Amino acid sequence: AHDLAVMTHSLPNPGLSDLEDDFLYHIGYSRTEDLAALFGDVRVVITGGSTTRLEKVAHMVQEYCNIELPFGTELKNISRSDRYGMWKVGPVLCVNHGMGCPSCSIMLHEVCKLLTHAGTDPSLLTFIRVGTSGGLIHPAGTIIVSTQAYSSMLEPFYPIAVCGKREERDTLLDAKLAQELVAAAPSDINVQQGHTMAAETFYESQGRLDGAICGYTAEEKFAFLNRAVALGIANIEMESTAFAAFCNKTGVHGAVVCATLLNRMNGDQVKSEPEVLKGYAENAIRVVLSWIKKHVIEA
Protein backbone atom coordinates (compact mmCIF):
# COMPACT_ATOMS: atom_id res chain seq x y z
CA ALA A 1 0.00 0.00 0.00
CA HIS A 2 1.14 3.57 -0.64
CA ASP A 3 0.78 6.40 1.86
CA LEU A 4 -0.59 8.89 -0.65
CA ALA A 5 -3.46 10.46 1.28
CA VAL A 6 -1.53 13.70 1.76
CA MET A 7 -1.36 14.09 -2.00
CA THR A 8 -5.08 13.74 -2.63
CA HIS A 9 -6.82 15.21 0.42
CA SER A 10 -7.22 18.62 -1.23
CA LEU A 11 -9.36 17.33 -4.11
CA PRO A 12 -13.12 17.00 -3.50
CA ASN A 13 -12.97 13.19 -3.59
CA PRO A 14 -11.89 11.60 -0.28
CA GLY A 15 -12.05 8.18 -1.90
CA LEU A 16 -8.91 8.84 -3.94
CA SER A 17 -6.69 8.28 -0.90
CA ASP A 18 -8.17 4.79 -0.47
CA LEU A 19 -6.99 3.63 -3.89
CA GLU A 20 -3.85 1.50 -4.03
CA ASP A 21 -3.14 3.09 -7.38
CA ASP A 22 -4.78 5.61 -9.70
CA PHE A 23 -4.15 4.92 -13.38
CA LEU A 24 -4.87 7.98 -15.50
CA TYR A 25 -6.04 6.04 -18.52
CA HIS A 26 -6.33 8.83 -21.10
CA ILE A 27 -2.83 10.24 -20.53
CA GLY A 28 -1.12 7.02 -19.47
CA TYR A 29 0.39 7.84 -16.06
CA SER A 30 0.01 6.09 -12.72
CA ARG A 31 0.02 7.50 -9.19
CA THR A 32 2.60 4.92 -8.11
CA GLU A 33 5.20 6.49 -10.40
CA ASP A 34 7.49 9.24 -9.11
CA LEU A 35 5.16 11.97 -10.38
CA ALA A 36 6.73 14.56 -8.07
CA ALA A 37 10.02 14.23 -9.95
CA LEU A 38 8.27 14.48 -13.31
CA PHE A 39 5.60 17.12 -12.67
CA GLY A 40 6.16 18.55 -9.19
CA ASP A 41 7.26 21.95 -10.49
CA VAL A 42 4.24 22.55 -12.76
CA ARG A 43 2.18 25.59 -11.79
CA VAL A 44 0.39 26.50 -15.04
CA VAL A 45 -1.59 24.33 -17.46
CA ILE A 46 -2.37 25.78 -20.88
CA THR A 47 -5.04 23.90 -22.75
CA GLY A 48 -6.87 24.19 -26.06
CA GLY A 49 -8.56 22.07 -28.67
CA SER A 50 -6.03 20.43 -30.96
CA THR A 51 -2.74 18.63 -30.42
CA THR A 52 -1.13 20.58 -33.27
CA ARG A 53 -2.03 23.92 -31.71
CA LEU A 54 -0.85 22.93 -28.24
CA GLU A 55 2.48 21.66 -29.54
CA LYS A 56 2.95 25.05 -31.17
CA VAL A 57 1.94 26.76 -27.93
CA ALA A 58 4.60 24.76 -26.07
CA HIS A 59 7.31 25.98 -28.44
CA MET A 60 6.00 29.55 -28.12
CA VAL A 61 6.14 29.28 -24.31
CA GLN A 62 9.75 28.12 -24.45
CA GLU A 63 10.81 30.87 -26.84
CA TYR A 64 8.83 33.79 -25.41
CA CYS A 65 9.60 33.00 -21.77
CA ASN A 66 13.20 31.96 -22.51
CA ILE A 67 12.84 28.67 -20.63
CA GLU A 68 15.90 26.43 -20.89
CA LEU A 69 15.28 22.71 -21.16
CA PRO A 70 17.64 20.24 -19.49
CA PHE A 71 20.86 19.74 -21.47
CA GLY A 72 20.44 17.34 -24.38
CA THR A 73 16.64 17.33 -24.31
CA GLU A 74 13.99 18.75 -26.60
CA LEU A 75 10.25 19.30 -26.45
CA LYS A 76 8.31 16.12 -27.14
CA ASN A 77 4.85 14.75 -26.62
CA ILE A 78 4.98 13.06 -23.21
CA SER A 79 1.40 11.79 -23.24
CA ARG A 80 1.30 8.00 -23.31
CA SER A 81 -2.05 7.89 -25.07
CA ASP A 82 -3.25 9.08 -28.46
CA ARG A 83 -6.28 10.74 -26.85
CA TYR A 84 -4.37 13.85 -25.77
CA GLY A 85 -0.99 15.43 -26.46
CA MET A 86 1.09 16.84 -23.62
CA TRP A 87 4.27 18.94 -23.55
CA LYS A 88 6.14 20.16 -20.46
CA VAL A 89 8.08 23.45 -20.59
CA GLY A 90 9.53 24.13 -17.15
CA PRO A 91 6.61 25.08 -14.86
CA VAL A 92 4.13 25.09 -17.77
CA LEU A 93 2.25 22.01 -18.97
CA CYS A 94 0.59 22.28 -22.40
CA VAL A 95 -2.15 19.73 -23.12
CA ASN A 96 -5.01 19.67 -25.60
CA HIS A 97 -8.59 18.98 -24.51
CA GLY A 98 -10.29 17.99 -27.76
CA MET A 99 -13.66 19.45 -28.77
CA GLY A 100 -16.59 19.97 -26.44
CA CYS A 101 -17.25 19.65 -22.72
CA PRO A 102 -17.05 15.84 -22.41
CA SER A 103 -13.56 15.62 -23.89
CA CYS A 104 -12.42 18.68 -21.95
CA SER A 105 -13.77 17.24 -18.69
CA ILE A 106 -11.80 14.00 -19.04
CA MET A 107 -8.56 15.92 -19.54
CA LEU A 108 -9.26 18.24 -16.61
CA HIS A 109 -9.90 15.38 -14.19
CA GLU A 110 -6.80 13.44 -15.16
CA VAL A 111 -4.34 16.33 -15.46
CA CYS A 112 -5.53 17.81 -12.16
CA LYS A 113 -5.09 14.43 -10.46
CA LEU A 114 -1.69 14.02 -12.12
CA LEU A 115 -0.44 17.29 -10.63
CA THR A 116 -2.09 16.70 -7.26
CA HIS A 117 -0.55 13.24 -7.06
CA ALA A 118 2.75 15.00 -7.84
CA GLY A 119 2.32 16.89 -4.57
CA THR A 120 0.89 20.24 -5.71
CA ASP A 121 -2.23 21.60 -4.06
CA PRO A 122 -4.88 22.67 -6.61
CA SER A 123 -4.95 26.16 -5.09
CA LEU A 124 -1.40 26.66 -6.39
CA LEU A 125 -2.37 25.75 -9.96
CA THR A 126 -3.61 27.96 -12.79
CA PHE A 127 -5.43 26.40 -15.75
CA ILE A 128 -5.89 28.60 -18.84
CA ARG A 129 -7.95 27.57 -21.84
CA VAL A 130 -6.77 29.41 -24.96
CA GLY A 131 -8.65 29.01 -28.21
CA THR A 132 -10.98 30.40 -30.84
CA SER A 133 -14.64 31.34 -30.80
CA GLY A 134 -17.44 33.08 -32.61
CA GLY A 135 -17.99 36.67 -31.55
CA LEU A 136 -21.32 38.40 -30.91
CA ILE A 137 -20.44 41.97 -29.91
CA HIS A 138 -16.91 42.81 -31.03
CA PRO A 139 -15.26 42.59 -34.47
CA ALA A 140 -13.33 39.54 -35.65
CA GLY A 141 -9.89 39.35 -34.09
CA THR A 142 -10.96 40.59 -30.66
CA ILE A 143 -9.60 38.57 -27.74
CA ILE A 144 -12.25 37.79 -25.12
CA VAL A 145 -11.19 37.04 -21.55
CA SER A 146 -14.22 35.32 -20.04
CA THR A 147 -15.85 36.47 -16.83
CA GLN A 148 -18.54 33.77 -16.59
CA ALA A 149 -19.62 30.82 -18.72
CA TYR A 150 -23.22 30.27 -19.85
CA SER A 151 -24.85 27.11 -21.16
CA SER A 152 -26.40 26.92 -24.62
CA MET A 153 -29.76 27.34 -22.84
CA LEU A 154 -28.40 30.74 -21.75
CA GLU A 155 -28.12 29.59 -18.13
CA PRO A 156 -25.32 31.05 -15.94
CA PHE A 157 -24.19 27.64 -14.69
CA TYR A 158 -22.98 24.23 -15.90
CA PRO A 159 -25.83 21.68 -16.00
CA ILE A 160 -24.38 18.21 -15.40
CA ALA A 161 -25.97 14.83 -14.75
CA VAL A 162 -24.46 13.03 -11.72
CA CYS A 163 -25.81 9.56 -10.91
CA GLY A 164 -28.99 10.36 -12.78
CA LYS A 165 -29.55 13.66 -10.99
CA ARG A 166 -29.14 17.16 -12.44
CA GLU A 167 -26.63 19.48 -10.79
CA GLU A 168 -26.06 23.13 -11.60
CA ARG A 169 -22.46 24.15 -11.00
CA ASP A 170 -20.98 27.62 -10.59
CA THR A 171 -19.27 28.97 -13.71
CA LEU A 172 -17.84 32.27 -12.52
CA LEU A 173 -14.19 32.55 -13.52
CA ASP A 174 -11.33 33.95 -11.43
CA ALA A 175 -11.86 37.74 -11.62
CA LYS A 176 -8.36 38.64 -10.41
CA LEU A 177 -6.74 36.33 -12.97
CA ALA A 178 -8.92 37.75 -15.75
CA GLN A 179 -7.90 41.29 -14.84
CA GLU A 180 -4.24 40.31 -14.75
CA LEU A 181 -4.51 38.77 -18.22
CA VAL A 182 -6.09 41.92 -19.64
CA ALA A 183 -3.46 44.12 -17.99
CA ALA A 184 -0.58 41.94 -19.24
CA ALA A 185 -1.78 41.89 -22.87
CA PRO A 186 0.47 43.47 -25.52
CA SER A 187 -0.74 46.95 -26.46
CA ASP A 188 -1.37 46.02 -30.10
CA ILE A 189 -4.05 43.45 -29.18
CA ASN A 190 -7.72 44.35 -28.64
CA VAL A 191 -8.67 42.52 -25.43
CA GLN A 192 -12.13 42.68 -23.88
CA GLN A 193 -13.85 40.95 -20.97
CA GLY A 194 -17.28 39.38 -21.32
CA HIS A 195 -19.40 36.31 -20.66
CA THR A 196 -18.92 33.24 -22.85
CA MET A 197 -21.46 30.68 -24.00
CA ALA A 198 -20.36 27.05 -24.19
CA ALA A 199 -22.57 25.39 -26.80
CA GLU A 200 -23.31 21.66 -26.78
CA THR A 201 -22.75 21.43 -30.53
CA PHE A 202 -21.12 23.48 -33.28
CA TYR A 203 -24.17 23.89 -35.49
CA GLU A 204 -27.66 23.73 -33.99
CA SER A 205 -26.84 24.75 -30.41
CA GLN A 206 -25.13 27.86 -31.76
CA GLY A 207 -28.04 28.73 -34.06
CA ARG A 208 -26.09 28.20 -37.26
CA LEU A 209 -28.08 28.08 -40.47
CA ASP A 210 -25.52 26.04 -42.46
CA GLY A 211 -25.58 22.64 -40.74
CA ALA A 212 -26.88 19.39 -42.21
CA ILE A 213 -29.93 19.84 -39.97
CA CYS A 214 -31.67 23.19 -39.43
CA GLY A 215 -35.26 23.36 -38.20
CA TYR A 216 -35.38 27.06 -37.36
CA THR A 217 -35.45 30.35 -39.27
CA ALA A 218 -32.95 33.19 -39.53
CA GLU A 219 -35.32 35.25 -37.41
CA GLU A 220 -35.20 32.63 -34.64
CA LYS A 221 -31.42 32.50 -34.88
CA PHE A 222 -31.04 36.25 -34.41
CA ALA A 223 -33.62 36.33 -31.62
CA PHE A 224 -31.51 33.72 -29.81
CA LEU A 225 -28.21 35.54 -30.38
CA ASN A 226 -29.72 38.86 -29.33
CA ARG A 227 -30.92 37.26 -26.09
CA ALA A 228 -27.33 36.16 -25.50
CA VAL A 229 -25.99 39.65 -26.17
CA ALA A 230 -28.53 41.12 -23.73
CA LEU A 231 -27.02 38.88 -21.05
CA GLY A 232 -23.53 40.19 -21.75
CA ILE A 233 -22.37 37.13 -23.71
CA ALA A 234 -19.55 38.26 -25.99
CA ASN A 235 -18.59 35.00 -27.67
CA ILE A 236 -19.49 31.35 -28.21
CA GLU A 237 -17.28 28.26 -27.94
CA MET A 238 -17.83 24.72 -26.62
CA GLU A 239 -15.91 24.11 -23.38
CA SER A 240 -16.06 27.04 -20.95
CA THR A 241 -18.90 25.79 -18.73
CA ALA A 242 -17.22 22.47 -17.95
CA PHE A 243 -13.88 24.23 -17.59
CA ALA A 244 -15.11 26.94 -15.22
CA ALA A 245 -17.18 24.53 -13.13
CA PHE A 246 -14.24 22.17 -12.73
CA CYS A 247 -11.93 24.96 -11.61
CA ASN A 248 -14.49 26.13 -9.05
CA LYS A 249 -15.03 22.62 -7.68
CA THR A 250 -11.31 21.87 -7.29
CA GLY A 251 -10.00 25.29 -6.28
CA VAL A 252 -7.82 25.67 -9.37
CA HIS A 253 -7.48 29.23 -10.69
CA GLY A 254 -9.09 29.27 -14.14
CA ALA A 255 -9.25 31.55 -17.16
CA VAL A 256 -10.62 31.31 -20.69
CA VAL A 257 -8.95 33.43 -23.38
CA CYS A 258 -10.39 33.13 -26.89
CA ALA A 259 -9.96 34.93 -30.19
CA THR A 260 -13.12 35.68 -32.13
CA LEU A 261 -12.77 34.42 -35.71
CA LEU A 262 -15.94 36.16 -36.94
CA ASN A 263 -18.92 38.14 -35.76
CA ARG A 264 -21.87 35.72 -35.81
CA MET A 265 -24.27 38.60 -36.36
CA ASN A 266 -22.76 38.91 -39.85
CA GLY A 267 -22.82 35.23 -40.84
CA ASP A 268 -22.06 31.66 -39.82
CA GLN A 269 -19.07 30.65 -41.93
CA VAL A 270 -15.45 31.52 -41.21
CA LYS A 271 -14.28 33.15 -44.44
CA SER A 272 -11.14 35.11 -43.49
CA GLU A 273 -7.84 34.13 -45.10
CA PRO A 274 -5.89 31.41 -43.25
CA GLU A 275 -3.05 33.79 -42.37
CA VAL A 276 -5.51 36.25 -40.84
CA LEU A 277 -7.13 33.52 -38.75
CA LYS A 278 -3.70 32.31 -37.68
CA GLY A 279 -2.89 35.81 -36.48
CA TYR A 280 -6.10 36.00 -34.46
CA ALA A 281 -5.36 32.67 -32.73
CA GLU A 282 -1.74 33.62 -32.04
CA ASN A 283 -2.84 36.88 -30.43
CA ALA A 284 -4.84 34.93 -27.85
CA ILE A 285 -1.73 32.88 -27.13
CA ARG A 286 0.38 36.05 -26.85
CA VAL A 287 -1.94 37.38 -24.16
CA VAL A 288 -1.44 34.20 -22.13
CA LEU A 289 2.33 34.19 -22.69
CA SER A 290 2.61 37.78 -21.50
CA TRP A 291 0.80 36.84 -18.29
CA ILE A 292 3.02 33.78 -17.73
CA LYS A 293 6.20 35.77 -18.25
CA LYS A 294 5.13 38.48 -15.78
CA HIS A 295 3.37 36.44 -13.11
CA VAL A 296 5.17 33.08 -13.23
CA ILE A 297 8.61 33.32 -14.82
CA GLU A 298 9.61 36.78 -13.56
CA ALA A 299 7.59 36.74 -10.33
Side-chain angles (χ1 to χ4, degrees):
H2 299 269
D3 185 15
L4 296 168
V6 69
M7 294 185 179
T8 56
H9 77 281
S10 53
L11 286 175
N13 180 3
L16 285 175
S17 58
D18 297 330
L19 299 176
E20 289 191 10
D21 194 6
D22 185 12
F23 180 59
L24 308 176
Y25 172 72
H26 299 89
I27 55 176
Y29 286 85
S30 170
R31 186 172 67 176
T32 54
E33 300 179 63
D34 189 358
L35 298 180
L38 298 175
F39 300 102
D41 63 335
V42 171
R43 292 297 177 268
V44 178
V45 174
I46 303 178
T47 187
S50 76
T51 53
T52 302
R53 180 185 302 164
L54 268 292
E55 182 177 16
K56 180 175 182 177
V57 169
H59 284 279
M60 291 175 71
V61 170
Q62 182 186 10
E63 180 179 351
Y64 187 86
C65 298
N66 195 27
I67 298 175
E68 292 189 13
L69 299 178
F71 178 75
T73 65
E74 62 182 4
L75 281 177
K76 63 176 293 186
N77 184 358
I78 56 173
S79 175
R80 296 170 180 167
S81 162
D82 63 356
R83 295 291 184 181
Y84 302 98
M86 193 160 64
W87 294 263
K88 185 178 181 298
V89 194
V92 180
L93 190 67
C94 300
V95 53
N96 78 299
H97 58 55
M99 294 179 67
C101 287
S103 177
C104 185
S105 173
I106 294 168
M107 182 282 296
L108 290 169
H109 276 266
E110 297 195 7
V111 168
C112 191
K113 289 198 296 176
L114 175 79
L115 300 179
T116 306
H117 293 333
T120 302
D121 191 85
S123 65
L124 300 177
L125 296 170
T126 298
F127 282 26
I128 303 177
R129 166 171 143 67
V130 59
T132 57
S133 64
L136 293 178
I137 301 173
H138 304 288
T142 305
I143 308 303
I144 305 297
V145 177
S146 304
T147 49
Q148 183 169 12
Y150 277 66
S151 75
S152 51
M153 294 295 290
L154 303 182
E155 303 158 325
F157 51 78
Y158 176 45
I160 180 174
V162 179
C163 292
K165 297 179 181 179
R166 176 186 168 98
E167 290 189 11
E168 298 173 355
R169 295 186 177 174
D170 176 24
T171 53
L172 277 171
L173 286 148
D174 189 312
K176 180 175 181 289
L177 176 57
Q179 292 164 0
E180 289 176 353
L181 283 156
V182 172
S187 59
D188 63 318
I189 299 177
N190 180 17
V191 182
Q192 303 289 335
Q193 293 191 66
H195 300 333
T196 297
M197 182 204 304
E200 295 177 4
T201 70
F202 184 79
Y203 287 98
E204 293 171 275
S205 297
Q206 298 188 33
R208 278 186 156 86
L209 301 172
D210 58 345
I213 300 170
C214 181
Y216 43 88
T217 65
E219 289 74 20
E220 289 174 304
K221 164 197 167 175
F222 286 111
F224 170 63
L225 296 184
N226 282 319
R227 284 172 55 209
V229 169
L231 292 169
I233 294 172
N235 61 331
I236 305 174
E237 40 86 277
M238 296 177 64
E239 295 84 19
S240 57
T241 46
F243 181 92
F246 182 88
C247 291
N248 285 325
K249 271 287 191 181
T250 58
V252 169
H253 301 280
V256 177
V257 182
C258 287
T260 57
L261 299 185
L262 76 165
N263 186 326
R264 287 288 315 288
M265 294 299 188
N266 300 328
D268 294 332
Q269 299 208 342
V270 180
K271 295 181 178 179
S272 297
E273 294 295 324
E275 284 303 309
V276 173
L277 298 175
K278 178 182 176 183
Y280 293 165
E282 288 186 355
N283 280 347
I285 297 167
R286 288 173 57 206
V287 171
V288 175
L289 295 182
S290 296
W291 179 86
I292 289 174
K293 188 171 185 179
K294 180 177 180 180
H295 291 275
V296 180
I297 305 302
E298 297 177 351

